[in-house]
Amino acid sequence: MIGRIAGIILHRAQDHVLIDVRGVGYIVHISERTAAGLPPAGQAAALYTELLVREDLLQLFGFPTLLEKEWHRLLTSVQGVGAKVSLAILGTLGPDGLARALALGDWSALKKSPGVGPKLAQRIAMELKDKAPAVMALGGSLTVDPGPLPDVEVIETVAPSKSAPAARPDSSAQATADALSALSNLGYAPSEAAGAVAEASGREPDATTTALIRAALRLLAPKE
């Protein structure tokens, strides 16, 4: 099983990238969102990967974080959602947008993705609503990108750029995970807590954990 690819980008397209790993080129299929975040050809890059094995086909699919890879696995557990449809959804919504859509049962948001019709969107929302909180709870612990190999030689095919800063956990994902944990400790059911946190984070994307918990609690409070 190939779980991670790190090397030099030889070619980058909207839906795939060719990465040279010590003389061997790997084609890795990616979402448009992931492609937009990769460096240009000639630069070092790394992706977490999922290997699709069929009788007549071997394909690698790449993700910038382990959290996004987990969302991909969850999406492809739904009948009718293949790897390419999953990438289309992640490319359209991103991990945070997908988490909100599933937690709120918002199938109309899922329908915005290429290749996802109303029936499939409703099936995804229905089947994954109760499973989404488990992935949301992983949060920032899985959001650090893999980073390139330290000894990879960069091919200067483009103007040199400043080194990228060290990857940090995604604060939004971490705040979501912490808020879910706090609400769970208060006795709220996972799906109930996830829905409130998703709605709160949708209103305030940059909210701190404390602010997110307070906002979620207001949403969960009994209505008079």
Side-chain angles (χ1 to χ4, degrees):
M1 179 65 71
I2 301 175
R4 180 177 181 269
I5 290 288
I8 299 296
I9 295 178
L10 298 181
H11 173 71
R12 193 183 77 175
Q14 283 190 331
D15 62 350
H16 70 275
V17 63
L18 175 61
I19 298 180
D20 177 82
V21 182
R22 294 182 173 86
V24 179
Y26 293 86
I27 294 176
V28 185
H29 299 272
I30 53 178
S31 70
E32 289 188 17
R33 184 183 293 261
T34 297
L38 289 176
Q43 298 296 306
L47 293 167
Y48 292 109
T49 57
E50 183 82 1
L51 179 62
L52 176 64
V53 180
R54 293 179 179 172
E55 290 184 3
D56 59 344
L57 182 68
L58 290 175
Q59 284 184 309
L60 278 173
F61 295 87
F63 311 92
T65 67
L66 280 171
L67 181 62
E68 189 162 329
K69 181 178 176 178
E70 288 302 313
W71 281 120
H72 171 75
R73 286 179 169 177
L74 188 63
L75 283 169
T76 52
S77 70
V78 178
Q79 183 180 2
V81 179
K84 290 188 177 181
V85 170
S86 171
L87 290 185
I89 294 172
L90 287 167
T92 300
L93 300 178
D96 289 345
L98 175 60
R100 281 194 295 273
L102 294 179
L104 297 173
D106 184 7
W107 64 268
S108 61
L110 296 166
K111 189 169 66 70
K112 296 176 182 177
S113 307
V116 180
K119 289 185 178 179
L120 181 56
Q122 290 174 29
R123 183 189 307 151
I124 294 170
M126 183 180 300
E127 291 189 17
L128 300 186
K129 182 175 177 62
D130 292 333
K131 297 178 181 179
V135 179
M136 292 172 67
L138 296 174
S141 63
L142 294 184
T143 55
V144 177
D145 72 52
L149 288 174
D151 59 348
V152 169
E153 180 182 355
V154 177
I155 303 172
E156 295 294 351
T157 59
V158 294
S161 58
K162 295 182 180 179
S163 299
R168 298 178 181 177
D170 183 280
S171 57
S172 175
Q174 187 62 60
T176 295
D178 291 343
L180 283 174
S181 177
L183 293 176
S184 176
N185 290 336
L186 291 173
Y188 289 99
S191 59
E192 186 180 25
V197 170
E199 186 173 345
S201 64
R203 295 177 180 179
E204 299 181 61
D206 298 323
T208 63
T209 299
T210 301
L212 204 54
I213 293 172
R214 288 174 178 170
L217 286 173
R218 285 196 294 270
L219 292 169
L220 291 167
K223 304 297 188 293
E224 296 182 359

